[in-house]
Amino acid sequence: MKNLIQIIEDDTSVRKLLEITFKEYEFNFVSSENKKNAMIMFLSHNPDLVIVDLGLPDGDGKEFIKHIREISKIPVIVLTARHDEKEIIAALDVGADDYITKPFSVNELLARIRANLRRNINEETLSDKIVCNDLQMDIAARDIFFKGEKLKLTPIEFELLKYFLLHTNKTLTHQQILNAVWGTGYQNEMQYLRTYVNTLRKKIEENSTRPIYIKTESGIGYRFSCSGN
Ligand code: CA
């Protein structure tokens, strides 16, 4: 069945581009140009994924994300006019999963949409194993395998990789990761995070300077990429 994508974007040319793309790539869509109509549409159509512009004529897209997060866990991708790190982090903090900056390429947009739809399916299937390309985690046994071999990880490396594997294909801010892995009080210890990301990369990336799993989102955080199984 086709996935239904909800678009909230007041810029007509961007909205049209999204609509044409979704028509061509076999997604169903509903669209609106303001927050008020978007909420009505969200409640009546029950979409599989939302794409929302942050600057809307009747307010901030972040408000819309906050509202739907109270009732839904579906993937939300934010559209921003430029690479405004503060705005992107704020949107991720209120519950957005990912972001795209305008102008965007259609291929990048489709890749992000597919990755986010996949993540949602993974979260719905209550399994005791998580598989991400060459990585496999046995949650109950607390073991992580890479190409069939058990990885030797320090406790922090394990917690960090586990957090990534539980949140694949989602843009995670530095603070979200530090909070989840190190706990409160460490949210500003960026150097810890950088150090452990480097040691993890050495264990799971073929080329740690061109990582395929742990992608750096410059100025924002990291995204753990899984191309699907
Ligand atoms: Ca706008």
Side-chain angles (χ1 to χ4, degrees), residues 1-7 16-31 47-51 75 77 100 106-118 121:
M1 213 172 72
K2 284 186 187 180
N3 283 114
L4 177 67
I5 299 176
Q6 180 175 8
I7 305 162
K16 286 273 174 286
L17 172 65
L18 292 169
E19 292 175 355
I20 289 164
T21 304
F22 294 156
K23 228 176 241 163
E24 187 176 342
Y25 290 91
E26 311 250 309
F27 287 109
N28 286 323
F29 61 85
V30 287
S31 55
D48 298 301
L49 181 143
V50 169
I51 293 183
I77 299 176
I100 288 176
V106 166
N107 284 340
E108 175 67 6
L109 172 78
L110 290 169
R112 292 287 174 115
I113 288 173
R114 290 186 181 125
N116 276 280
L117 288 170
R118 233 174 8 241
I121 291 167

Side-chain angles (χ1 to χ4, degrees), residues 9-11 53 55-56 102:
E9 168 62 271
D10 60 313
D11 182 325
D53 176 34
L56 296 168
K102 294 183 256 188

Side-chain angles (χ1 to χ4, degrees), residues 28-228:
N28 286 323
F29 61 85
V30 287
S31 55
S32 62
E33 54 196 61
N34 62 46
K35 230 171 56 177
K36 186 166 160 269
N37 289 343
M39 204 60 217
I40 296 165
M41 234 171 221
F42 179 83
L43 294 170
S44 55
H45 286 84
N46 194 23
D48 298 301
L49 181 143
V50 169
I51 293 183
V52 56
D53 176 34
L54 288 181
L56 296 168
D58 60 344
D60 193 323
K62 291 198 292 295
E63 294 299 320
F64 175 76
I65 299 170
K66 256 190 232 167
H67 280 136
I68 67 165
R69 271 296 169 256
E70 289 168 8
I71 51 173
S72 169
K73 288 168 75 177
I74 67 156
V76 174
I77 299 176
V78 161
L79 277 178
T80 65
R82 61 207 149 85
H83 208 285
D84 184 344
E85 288 160 12
K86 263 187 157 166
E87 269 292 283
I88 294 167
I89 289 171
L92 294 168
D93 277 340
V94 297
D97 296 286
D98 216 341
Y99 70 95
I100 288 176
T101 51
K102 294 183 256 188
F104 51 84
S105 85
V106 166
N107 284 340
E108 175 67 6
L109 172 78
L110 290 169
R112 292 287 174 115
I113 288 173
R114 290 186 181 125
N116 276 280
L117 288 170
R118 233 174 8 241
R119 182 177 54 74
N120 211 35
I121 291 167
N122 286 342
E123 280 176 4
E124 278 169 12
T125 49
L126 285 171
S127 156
D128 52 354
K129 278 199 174 64
I130 294 175
V131 179
C132 168
N133 308 350
D134 287 332
L135 282 160
Q136 191 182 340
M137 180 167 78
D138 183 329
I139 296 171
R142 293 179 60 86
D143 284 330
I144 299 178
F145 299 88
F146 180 63
K147 294 187 171 171
E149 300 226 354
K150 195 168 149 182
L151 274 178
K152 288 198 182 77
L153 300 170
T154 68
I156 293 279
E157 285 171 355
F158 177 85
E159 289 304 324
L160 181 59
L161 185 51
K162 178 179 153 191
Y163 185 68
F164 280 141
L165 283 167
L166 289 170
H167 300 87
T168 55
N169 298 325
K170 179 175 157 74
T171 300
L172 302 162
T173 67
H174 296 122
Q175 294 214 345
Q176 285 171 340
I177 302 169
L178 284 160
N179 263 325
V181 176
W182 279 267
T184 44
Y186 287 86
Q187 348 11 348
N188 297 313
E189 303 290 348
M190 226 75 100
Q191 193 49 44
Y192 285 6
L193 180 55
R194 223 169 275 140
T195 303
Y196 277 94
V197 163
N198 283 338
T199 65
L200 258 188
R201 276 180 175 154
K202 291 201 176 96
K203 295 185 180 185
I204 64 170
E205 304 282 5
E206 299 284 344
N207 179 350
S208 55
T209 58
R210 295 182 64 188
I212 61 157
Y213 289 108
I214 311 176
K215 308 267 195 195
T216 299
E217 296 286 344
S218 186
I220 294 164
Y222 296 96
R223 192 164 47 86
F224 199 84
S225 177
C226 282
S227 54

